Amino acid sequence: MSSAPDTTRTNLLGLQKTDLESFVGELGNKPFRARQLMNWLYKRGEGDIAAMTDLAKDFRAQLLTCAEVVVPEIVKTQIASDGTRKWLLSGGNGQAFEMVYIPEEDRGTLCISSQVGCALDCSFCSTAQQGFNRNLTTAEIVGQVWLANRELGWKVGDDRILTNIVFMGMGEPLANFRAVVPAIRIFLDDLGFDISRRRVTLSTSGLVPQIYKLAEEVNCALAVSLHAPDDELRSQLVPINRKHNIAELLEACWHYLDEQNGRSVTFEYVMLDGINDQPEHARGLARLLRDKPAKLNLIPFNPFPGTNYRRSPQAAIEKFRDELTQRGIIVTIRKTRGDDIDAACGQLAGQVTDRTIVRLGSKTFGLQVRA
Ligand code: SAH
C-alpha cells in the first residue's frame, strides 16, 4: 500500500468484482483470482500485494508489475470531544477533501466525499462556497472506507467498526455517477465490505434523471436534501430545484423505492432560523409527505465562516417536529456531531484551490453530469 499513485499501474481498489475479473483475465488468470484478491483487500484489509501469500507466486509477480493498492494520503487528522474524527485527505495538486467517522453506541458511521468541492451551490452549505474542482475516482471513494478501517485500528477477526456508510461528505454523488456506482457495489458486495443495502446511504440534492438511473444500477438507501416545502423557497436554497422541481423529485423518489423494493426515502431538512422553520413550512411538508414512504430528518443548521444563516432555536425545531408528527410524519432530529472540529453536516470545506467549473447557482445550469 502506498499513497502515491503510479499512473501506469491499476489501483485494485477502483475495480468492482466484474472489472477485477476482467483485469485478472487480461493477465491470463481465472476469475477466482479476483475473489482471492477481494478477500485480501476487503476481508483482511491487506494493502501490500507482496504480503498476499496465498496468491500463486507468478500471479503475485505479475500483479507487482502492473497493479497497486493506493489510498488517499492523510493531510490532517482531528478528533472532536465527542469522539467524531475528521480526516483531511489529499486529492493531489494542493486539493483536499474530507471524511468523517461518527461513533455511536450501536453503530459506526463513515461519512465520505464523492467530489473535491461541489458545483451545486446550495446557499447554506460550506462545501458550496469552495466551488468545484473534480470528481473523485472509484478508488478514492473506496479508499476512504479502506483507510478509515485502518486508521480506526480494525483487524481481521474484529467486529466491524464501520457499520454504516453515508455519501454526506463533500460533493454531489449523483454528479459523479460513473465513479460512485462501482464504489457502492464494492460496499455492498459480499466479497467486498459486505455492508447491508440499508446501511449504505446516498444523499442527493435532487438530480432527478440520475435517481432514475441509480434505480437501475444499485440498491442502496436514498436520502434527499429537501430543505423547503415549496418550489420558490427550495429554488433559493437548493438551486438545482430550478431545473428539477419538487414534484418531479418526489416522483423519482417513489419510483426508486418501487424499483428497489425499498422501505422509505429519508428527506433531509436543514433548520434555518426564520427561513424554512415556521409552522406553515411544517404544514406544507406534511402535505407533501403524508401517507408516503418517507422519513424526515431535521438537521440543525451548522454555521461556517461567512454565512448569514442562523440555526433555528431548539424550541423552534421541536415545535416544527411536533407539527409534523401530529400529521403522521415520521420525524427525527439529527444530533449535531463533531462541530468543535467543523466536522458536522455542511461544514466540510476541504481545500479547493483550483475551481475549474463555475458554481451552479452563479450562472448556468449546464452542469456536467457524466454517466
Ligand atoms: N450533495 C449531497 C450531500 C450533501 S451533505 C446532498 O446535497 O444531499 C449531507 C447533508 O447536509 C445534505 O442534506 C445537506 O443539504 C446538509 N447540509 C449542507 N450544509 C449544511 C449546514 N451548513 N448545516 C446543516 N446541514 C447541512
Side-chain angles (χ1 to χ4, degrees):
M1 204 273 310
S2 85
S3 53
D6 174 342
T7 45
T8 61
R9 291 168 191 267
T10 299
N11 189 347
L12 299 178
L13 292 177
L15 303 180
Q16 55 182 324
K17 189 171 141 237
T18 46
D19 294 338
L20 200 55
E21 282 171 352
S22 314
F23 178 73
V24 302
E26 280 160 26
L27 297 175
N29 292 278
K30 296 256 163 58
F32 81 90
R33 298 270 184 229
R35 289 199 292 279
Q36 272 185 312
L37 273 175
M38 288 187 83
N39 190 51
W40 279 107
L41 292 170
Y42 303 111
K43 303 292 185 233
R44 308 180 66 105
E46 182 56 67
D48 178 1
I49 293 171
M52 299 181 179
T53 46
D54 72 351
L55 298 183
K57 257 199 179 146
D58 45 350
F59 177 51
R60 229 183 312 158
Q62 249 182 334
L63 284 177
L64 284 166
T65 65
C66 64
E68 61 184 359
V69 181
V70 177
V71 295
E73 187 187 336
I74 298 173
V75 179
K76 191 171 159 189
T77 306
Q78 284 170 282
I79 304 183
S81 53
D82 66 4
T84 299
R85 289 189 198 205
K86 180 169 88 166
W87 293 268
L88 183 67
L89 304 173
S90 170
N93 300 322
Q95 309 297 320
F97 55 99
E98 295 178 320
M99 66 173 180
V100 178
Y101 167 64
I102 305 147
E104 287 172 275
E105 223 161 77
D106 57 343
R107 66 175 90 172
T109 302
L110 190 70
C111 176
I112 58 173
S113 293
S114 55
Q115 299 181 311
V116 181
C118 188
L120 275 289
D121 211 17
C122 300
S123 60
F124 51 85
C125 179
S126 168
T127 305
Q129 309 299 308
Q130 309 294 307
F132 173 78
N133 177 257
R134 71 169 174 90
N135 283 330
L136 294 179
T137 63
T138 300
E140 286 170 321
I141 298 169
V142 173
Q144 291 173 63
V145 181
W146 199 95
L147 179 63
N149 266 324
R150 194 190 69 184
E151 285 294 296
L152 293 166
W154 177 84
K155 303 242 164 7
V156 189
D158 289 357
D159 284 344
R160 303 169 184 265
I161 297 176
L162 300 178
T163 59
N164 294 57
I165 297 174
V166 296
F167 280 89
M168 295 185 189
M170 293 169 68
E172 166 50 55
L174 291 184
N176 184 13
F177 197 89
R178 259 197 207 169
V180 163
V181 164
I184 294 176
R185 293 208 183 103
I186 294 170
F187 299 155
L188 301 179
D189 195 332
D190 49 9
L191 297 172
F193 288 107
D194 191 20
I195 298 178
S196 117
R197 68 187 178 103
R198 299 198 198 286
R199 291 173 177 267
V200 175
T201 303
L202 183 144
S203 176
T204 179
S205 56
L207 271 60
V208 166
Q210 280 68 31
I211 295 176
Y212 285 95
K213 283 196 67 142
L214 190 72
E216 289 166 21
E217 299 280 342
V218 284
N219 191 345
C220 66
L222 185 64
V224 170
S225 295
L226 190 56
H227 305 317
D230 61 81
D231 284 319
E232 195 187 339
L233 182 56
R234 188 164 192 270
S235 293
Q236 285 169 31
L237 300 174
V238 184
I240 192 75
N241 193 71
R242 296 176 210 158
K243 194 165 180 188
H244 305 294
N245 66 23
I246 294 177
E248 277 179 60
L249 176 58
L250 294 181
E251 225 14 77
C253 291
W254 313 142
H255 171 84
Y256 184 83
L257 289 181
D258 275 353
E259 287 293 301
Q260 299 291 6
N261 204 9
R263 282 186 202 152
S264 60
V265 171
T266 299
F267 292 93
E268 296 155 291
Y269 195 96
V270 64
M271 297 298 293
L272 303 166
D273 186 22
I275 305 281
N276 65 353
D277 64 347
Q278 301 301 304
E280 74 253 26
H281 298 121
R283 290 193 288 272
L285 272 181
R287 280 193 294 276
L288 287 180
L289 301 180
R290 193 169 7 220
D291 299 327
K292 295 287 195 287
K295 287 183 187 161
L296 194 65
N297 193 209
L298 305 179
I299 315 175
F301 171 65
N302 294 305
F304 51 88
T307 182
N308 292 323
Y309 291 116
R310 289 180 316 268
R311 179 183 294 183
S312 308
Q314 186 62 22
I317 298 178
E318 287 170 12
K319 186 160 177 247
F320 197 87
R321 176 197 56 200
D322 296 344
E323 291 276 352
L324 284 150
T325 26
Q326 278 161 22
R327 290 170 172 78
I329 312 290
I330 302 168
V331 191
T332 49
I333 299 175
R334 191 177 293 176
K335 224 167 125 198
T336 300
R337 299 291 306 264
D339 51 344
D340 52 338
I341 55 165
D342 287 345
C345 303
Q347 291 185 316
L348 303 187
Q351 191 174 308
V352 185
T353 48
D354 174 17
R355 303 171 183 95
T356 52
I357 294 184
V358 290
R359 288 196 253 133
L360 183 67
S362 52
K363 241 193 235 129
T364 164
F365 292 113
L367 179 67
Q368 298 293 309
V369 180
R370 276 179 286 138

Coordinates of all heavy atoms in Angstrom, one line a residue, residues 111-112 114-115 118 120 122-128 166-174 202-207 223-227 234 237-238 240 267-272 297-304 307 309 311 334 336 344-348, ligand 1:
C111 N -18.8 9.0 7.0 CA -19.4 10.0 6.1 C -18.3 10.3 5.0 O -17.2 10.8 5.4 CB -19.8 11.2 6.9 SG -20.4 12.6 5.9
I112 N -18.5 9.9 3.8 CA -17.5 10.0 2.8 C -17.8 11.1 1.7 O -19.0 11.5 1.5 CB -17.2 8.7 2.1 CG1 -18.5 8.1 1.4 CG2 -16.7 7.7 3.0 CD1 -18.2 6.9 0.6
S114 N -17.5 12.5 -2.4 CA -17.6 12.0 -3.7 C -16.9 12.9 -4.7 O -16.7 12.6 -5.9 CB -19.0 11.7 -4.1 OG -19.8 12.9 -4.0
Q115 N -16.7 14.2 -4.3 CA -16.1 15.1 -5.2 C -15.2 16.1 -4.3 O -15.3 16.2 -3.1 CB -17.1 16.0 -5.8 CG -18.1 15.3 -6.7 CD -19.1 16.2 -7.4 OE1 -19.7 17.0 -6.7 NE2 -19.3 16.0 -8.7
C118 N -17.9 21.2 -4.7 CA -19.3 20.8 -5.2 C -19.7 22.0 -6.1 O -19.4 23.1 -5.9 CB -20.2 20.6 -4.1 SG -21.9 20.0 -4.6
L120 N -23.0 22.4 -6.9 CA -24.5 22.6 -6.8 C -24.9 23.9 -6.1 O -26.0 24.3 -6.2 CB -25.1 21.4 -6.1 CG -25.5 20.2 -6.9 CD1 -26.7 20.5 -7.8 CD2 -24.4 19.7 -7.8
C122 N -25.6 25.1 -3.1 CA -26.7 25.2 -2.1 C -26.2 26.4 -1.1 O -25.1 26.4 -0.7 CB -26.9 23.9 -1.3 SG -27.4 22.6 -2.4
S123 N -27.1 27.3 -0.9 CA -26.7 28.6 -0.2 C -26.3 28.4 1.2 O -25.6 29.3 1.7 CB -27.8 29.6 -0.3 OG -29.0 29.1 0.4
F124 N -26.6 27.3 1.9 CA -26.4 27.1 3.3 C -25.2 26.1 3.5 O -25.0 25.7 4.7 CB -27.6 26.6 4.0 CG -28.2 25.4 3.3 CD1 -27.7 24.1 3.5 CD2 -29.1 25.6 2.2 CE1 -28.1 23.0 2.8 CE2 -29.5 24.4 1.5 CZ -29.0 23.2 1.8
C125 N -24.5 25.7 2.5 CA -23.5 24.7 2.6 C -22.1 25.2 2.4 O -21.8 25.9 1.5 CB -23.8 23.6 1.6 SG -22.6 22.2 1.7
S126 N -21.3 24.8 3.4 CA -19.9 25.3 3.3 C -19.1 24.8 2.1 O -18.3 25.5 1.5 CB -19.2 24.9 4.6 OG -17.9 25.1 4.6
T127 N -19.4 23.5 1.8 CA -18.7 23.0 0.6 C -19.0 23.8 -0.6 O -18.1 24.0 -1.5 CB -19.1 21.5 0.4 OG1 -18.9 20.8 1.6 CG2 -18.3 20.8 -0.7
A128 N -20.2 24.3 -0.8 CA -20.6 25.0 -2.0 C -19.7 26.3 -2.1 O -19.4 26.7 -3.2 CB -22.1 25.4 -1.9
V166 N -22.2 6.7 4.6 CA -23.2 7.7 4.0 C -22.4 8.7 3.1 O -21.3 9.1 3.4 CB -23.9 8.5 5.1 CG1 -24.8 7.6 6.0 CG2 -22.9 9.3 6.1
F167 N -23.0 8.9 1.9 CA -22.4 9.9 1.0 C -22.9 11.2 1.4 O -23.7 11.8 0.7 CB -22.8 9.5 -0.4 CG -22.0 8.4 -1.1 CD1 -22.4 7.1 -1.0 CD2 -20.9 8.7 -1.8 CE1 -21.7 6.1 -1.6 CE2 -20.1 7.7 -2.4 CZ -20.6 6.4 -2.3
M168 N -22.4 11.7 2.5 CA -22.9 13.0 3.0 C -21.7 13.9 3.3 O -21.8 14.9 4.0 CB -23.7 12.9 4.3 CG -25.0 12.1 4.0 SD -26.1 12.1 5.5 CE -27.4 10.9 4.9
G169 N -20.5 13.6 2.7 CA -19.4 14.4 2.8 C -19.4 15.5 1.7 O -20.5 16.0 1.4
M170 N -18.2 15.8 1.2 CA -18.2 16.8 0.1 C -18.7 16.2 -1.2 O -18.4 15.1 -1.5 CB -16.8 17.3 0.0 CG -16.3 18.1 1.2 SD -14.5 18.4 1.1 CE -14.4 19.5 -0.2
G171 N -19.4 17.1 -1.9 CA -19.8 16.7 -3.3 C -21.2 16.2 -3.4 O -21.9 15.9 -2.5
E172 N -21.6 16.2 -4.7 CA -22.9 15.6 -5.1 C -22.7 14.2 -5.7 O -22.2 14.2 -6.8 CB -23.6 16.6 -6.0 CG -24.8 16.0 -6.7 CD -25.9 15.4 -5.8 OE1 -26.3 16.0 -4.8 OE2 -26.2 14.2 -6.0
P173 N -23.0 13.2 -5.0 CA -22.6 11.8 -5.5 C -23.2 11.5 -6.9 O -22.6 10.9 -7.7 CB -23.1 10.9 -4.4 CG -23.9 11.7 -3.5 CD -23.6 13.1 -3.6
L174 N -24.5 12.0 -7.1 CA -25.1 11.7 -8.4 C -24.5 12.5 -9.6 O -24.7 12.2 -10.7 CB -26.6 11.8 -8.4 CG -27.3 10.8 -7.5 CD1 -28.8 11.0 -7.6 CD2 -26.9 9.4 -7.8
L202 N -27.0 7.0 0.0 CA -26.5 8.0 -1.0 C -27.4 9.2 -0.7 O -28.7 9.1 -0.8 CB -26.7 7.5 -2.4 CG -26.2 8.5 -3.5 CD1 -25.5 7.8 -4.6 CD2 -27.3 9.4 -4.0
S203 N -26.8 10.4 -0.4 CA -27.6 11.6 -0.2 C -27.5 12.5 -1.4 O -26.3 12.8 -1.9 CB -27.1 12.3 1.0 OG -27.8 13.5 1.2
T204 N -28.6 12.9 -2.0 CA -28.5 13.8 -3.2 C -29.3 15.1 -3.0 O -30.3 15.1 -2.3 CB -29.0 13.1 -4.4 OG1 -28.9 14.0 -5.6 CG2 -30.4 12.5 -4.3
S205 N -28.9 16.1 -3.7 CA -29.6 17.4 -3.6 C -30.8 17.3 -4.6 O -31.6 18.2 -4.7 CB -28.7 18.5 -4.0 OG -28.1 18.2 -5.3
G206 N -30.9 16.2 -5.4 CA -32.0 16.1 -6.3 C -31.8 16.1 -7.8 O -32.4 16.8 -8.5
L207 N -30.8 15.3 -8.2 CA -30.5 15.2 -9.6 C -31.5 14.1 -10.2 O -31.1 12.9 -10.2 CB -29.1 14.8 -9.9 CG -28.1 16.0 -10.1 CD1 -28.1 16.8 -8.8 CD2 -26.7 15.5 -10.4
A223 N -31.2 9.2 0.4 CA -31.6 10.3 1.2 C -31.6 11.5 0.3 O -30.8 11.6 -0.7 CB -30.6 10.6 2.3
V224 N -32.6 12.4 0.5 CA -32.8 13.5 -0.4 C -32.8 14.8 0.4 O -33.5 14.9 1.4 CB -34.1 13.3 -1.3 CG1 -34.4 14.6 -2.1 CG2 -33.9 12.2 -2.2
S225 N -32.0 15.8 -0.1 CA -32.0 17.1 0.6 C -33.2 17.9 0.1 O -33.1 18.5 -0.9 CB -30.7 17.8 0.2 OG -29.6 17.0 0.8
L226 N -34.2 18.0 0.9 CA -35.4 18.7 0.5 C -35.4 20.2 0.9 O -35.5 21.1 0.1 CB -36.6 17.9 1.1 CG -38.0 18.4 0.6 CD1 -38.1 18.3 -0.9 CD2 -39.1 17.5 1.3
H227 N -35.3 20.4 2.2 CA -35.0 21.7 2.8 C -36.1 22.8 2.6 O -36.0 23.9 3.2 CB -33.7 22.3 2.3 CG -32.5 21.4 2.5 ND1 -32.3 20.7 3.7 CD2 -31.4 21.1 1.7 CE1 -31.2 20.0 3.6 NE2 -30.7 20.2 2.4
R234 N -37.4 26.5 -2.2 CA -36.4 25.4 -2.4 C -35.4 25.9 -3.5 O -34.2 25.6 -3.5 CB -37.0 24.1 -2.8 CG -36.0 23.0 -2.9 CD -36.6 21.6 -2.9 NE -35.5 20.6 -2.7 CZ -34.8 20.0 -3.7 NH1 -35.1 20.3 -5.0 NH2 -33.8 19.2 -3.4
L237 N -32.7 27.9 -1.9 CA -31.8 27.2 -1.1 C -31.0 26.2 -1.8 O -29.8 26.0 -1.6 CB -32.6 26.5 0.1 CG -33.4 27.4 1.0 CD1 -34.2 26.6 2.0 CD2 -32.4 28.4 1.7
V238 N -31.7 25.5 -2.7 CA -31.0 24.4 -3.5 C -31.3 24.7 -5.0 O -32.3 24.3 -5.6 CB -31.7 23.0 -3.1 CG1 -31.0 21.8 -3.8 CG2 -31.7 22.8 -1.6
I240 N -30.5 23.6 -7.8 CA -30.9 22.5 -8.8 C -32.4 22.4 -8.9 O -32.9 21.9 -9.9 CB -30.2 21.2 -8.4 CG1 -30.3 20.1 -9.6 CG2 -30.8 20.6 -7.2 CD1 -29.4 20.4 -10.7
F267 N -35.8 12.2 3.9 CA -35.7 13.6 3.4 C -35.0 14.4 4.5 O -35.4 14.5 5.6 CB -37.1 14.2 3.1 CG -37.7 13.5 1.9 CD1 -38.5 12.4 2.1 CD2 -37.4 13.9 0.6 CE1 -39.1 11.7 1.0 CE2 -37.9 13.3 -0.5 CZ -38.8 12.2 -0.3
E268 N -33.9 15.1 4.0 CA -33.1 15.9 4.9 C -33.7 17.3 4.9 O -34.0 17.8 3.8 CB -31.7 15.9 4.6 CG -31.1 14.5 4.7 CD -29.9 14.3 3.8 OE1 -30.0 14.2 2.6 OE2 -28.7 14.2 4.3
Y269 N -33.7 18.0 6.0 CA -34.3 19.3 6.1 C -33.5 20.1 7.1 O -33.5 19.9 8.3 CB -35.7 19.2 6.5 CG -36.6 20.4 6.3 CD1 -37.4 20.6 5.2 CD2 -36.6 21.5 7.2 CE1 -38.2 21.7 5.0 CE2 -37.4 22.6 7.0 CZ -38.1 22.7 5.9 OH -38.9 23.8 5.7
V270 N -32.7 21.1 6.5 CA -31.8 21.9 7.4 C -32.7 23.0 8.1 O -33.5 23.6 7.4 CB -30.6 22.5 6.6 CG1 -31.1 23.4 5.5 CG2 -29.6 23.2 7.4
M271 N -32.5 23.2 9.3 CA -33.3 24.1 10.1 C -32.7 25.5 10.1 O -31.7 25.7 10.9 CB -33.6 23.6 11.5 CG -34.4 22.3 11.5 SD -36.0 22.4 10.8 CE -36.9 23.5 11.9
L272 N -33.2 26.4 9.3 CA -32.6 27.8 9.2 C -33.6 28.8 9.8 O -34.7 28.9 9.4 CB -32.4 28.1 7.7 CG -31.6 27.2 6.9 CD1 -31.7 27.4 5.4 CD2 -30.1 27.3 7.3
N297 N -35.7 14.0 8.3 CA -34.6 14.2 9.2 C -34.3 15.7 9.3 O -33.8 16.3 8.4 CB -33.4 13.4 8.7 CG -32.3 13.2 9.7 OD1 -31.1 13.1 9.4 ND2 -32.6 13.2 11.0
L298 N -34.6 16.3 10.5 CA -34.3 17.7 10.7 C -32.9 17.9 11.1 O -32.4 17.3 12.0 CB -35.3 18.3 11.7 CG -36.8 18.0 11.5 CD1 -37.6 18.6 12.6 CD2 -37.2 18.7 10.1
I299 N -32.1 18.7 10.3 CA -30.7 18.9 10.6 C -30.6 20.4 11.2 O -30.7 21.3 10.4 CB -29.8 18.8 9.4 CG1 -30.2 17.5 8.6 CG2 -28.4 18.8 9.8 CD1 -29.4 17.4 7.3
P300 N -30.2 20.5 12.4 CA -29.9 21.9 12.9 C -28.8 22.5 12.0 O -27.8 21.8 11.8 CB -29.5 21.7 14.3 CG -30.0 20.3 14.7 CD -30.0 19.5 13.5
F301 N -29.0 23.7 11.5 CA -28.0 24.3 10.7 C -26.7 24.4 11.4 O -26.6 24.8 12.5 CB -28.5 25.7 10.2 CG -27.4 26.5 9.5 CD1 -27.0 26.1 8.3 CD2 -26.9 27.7 10.1 CE1 -26.0 26.8 7.6 CE2 -25.9 28.4 9.4 CZ -25.5 28.0 8.2
N302 N -25.6 24.0 10.7 CA -24.3 24.2 11.2 C -23.6 25.4 10.6 O -23.4 25.4 9.4 CB -23.4 22.9 11.0 CG -24.0 21.7 11.7 OD1 -24.2 21.8 13.0 ND2 -24.4 20.7 11.0
P303 N -23.2 26.4 11.4 CA -22.7 27.6 10.8 C -21.2 27.4 10.3 O -20.6 26.5 10.7 CB -22.7 28.6 11.9 CG -22.8 27.8 13.2 CD -23.4 26.4 12.8
F304 N -20.8 28.3 9.4 CA -19.4 28.3 8.9 C -19.1 29.7 8.6 O -20.0 30.5 8.5 CB -19.3 27.3 7.7 CG -20.3 27.6 6.6 CD1 -20.1 28.6 5.7 CD2 -21.5 26.9 6.6 CE1 -21.0 28.8 4.7 CE2 -22.5 27.2 5.6 CZ -22.2 28.2 4.7
T307 N -21.3 32.8 6.6 CA -22.7 32.6 6.3 C -23.5 33.6 7.1 O -23.2 34.0 8.1 CB -23.1 31.1 6.7 OG1 -24.5 31.0 6.4 CG2 -22.9 30.9 8.2
Y309 N -26.8 32.7 7.5 CA -27.9 31.9 8.1 C -27.6 31.7 9.6 O -26.4 31.6 10.0 CB -28.0 30.6 7.4 CG -28.5 30.7 6.0 CD1 -27.7 30.3 4.9 CD2 -29.8 31.1 5.8 CE1 -28.2 30.4 3.6 CE2 -30.3 31.2 4.4 CZ -29.5 30.9 3.4 OH -30.0 30.9 2.1
R311 N -28.9 29.0 13.0 CA -29.6 27.8 13.3 C -30.9 28.2 14.0 O -30.9 29.1 14.9 CB -28.7 27.0 14.3 CG -29.4 25.7 14.7 CD -28.5 25.0 15.7 NE -27.3 24.5 15.1 CZ -26.4 23.7 15.8 NH1 -26.5 23.4 17.0 NH2 -25.3 23.3 15.1
R334 N -31.6 15.4 13.8 CA -30.2 14.8 13.7 C -29.4 15.5 14.8 O -29.4 16.7 15.0 CB -29.6 15.1 12.4 CG -28.3 14.4 12.2 CD -27.7 14.6 10.8 NE -28.5 14.0 9.8 CZ -28.2 14.1 8.5 NH1 -27.1 14.8 8.1 NH2 -28.9 13.5 7.5
T336 N -26.2 16.9 16.4 CA -25.0 17.5 15.8 C -23.8 16.9 16.4 O -23.6 16.8 17.6 CB -25.0 19.0 16.1 OG1 -26.2 19.6 15.6 CG2 -23.8 19.7 15.6
A344 N -19.3 18.7 11.3 CA -20.8 18.5 11.2 C -21.2 18.7 9.8 O -20.5 19.2 8.9 CB -21.5 19.4 12.2
C345 N -22.5 18.2 9.5 CA -23.1 18.3 8.2 C -22.9 19.7 7.6 O -23.2 20.7 8.3 CB -24.6 18.1 8.2 SG -25.1 16.6 8.9
G346 N -22.4 19.8 6.4 CA -22.3 21.1 5.7 C -21.1 22.0 6.1 O -21.0 23.0 5.6
Q347 N -20.3 21.4 7.0 CA -19.1 22.2 7.4 C -17.9 21.8 6.7 O -16.8 22.3 6.9 CB -18.9 22.1 9.0 CG -20.0 22.8 9.8 CD -19.7 22.8 11.2 OE1 -19.3 21.8 11.8 NE2 -20.0 23.9 11.9
L348 N -18.0 20.7 5.9 CA -16.8 20.2 5.3 C -16.4 21.1 4.1 O -17.1 21.3 3.2 CB -17.0 18.8 4.8 CG -17.5 17.8 5.9 CD1 -17.5 16.4 5.3 CD2 -16.6 17.8 7.1
Ligands
SAH1 N1 -24.7 16.7 -2.0 C1 -25.4 15.8 -1.1 C2 -24.6 15.5 0.1 C3 -24.5 16.7 1.0 S1 -24.1 16.7 2.7 C4 -26.7 16.4 -0.8 O1 -27.0 17.5 -1.1 O2 -27.6 15.7 -0.3 C5 -25.4 16.0 3.5 C6 -26.5 16.9 4.1 O3 -26.0 18.0 4.8 C7 -27.4 17.4 3.0 O4 -28.7 17.3 3.3 C8 -27.0 18.9 3.0 O5 -28.0 19.7 2.5 C9 -26.8 19.1 4.5 N2 -26.1 20.4 4.8 C10 -25.4 21.1 4.0 N3 -24.9 22.2 4.6 C11 -25.4 22.2 5.9 C12 -25.2 23.0 7.0 N4 -24.4 24.1 7.0 N5 -25.8 22.6 8.2 C13 -26.5 21.5 8.2 N6 -26.7 20.7 7.2 C14 -26.1 21.0 6.0

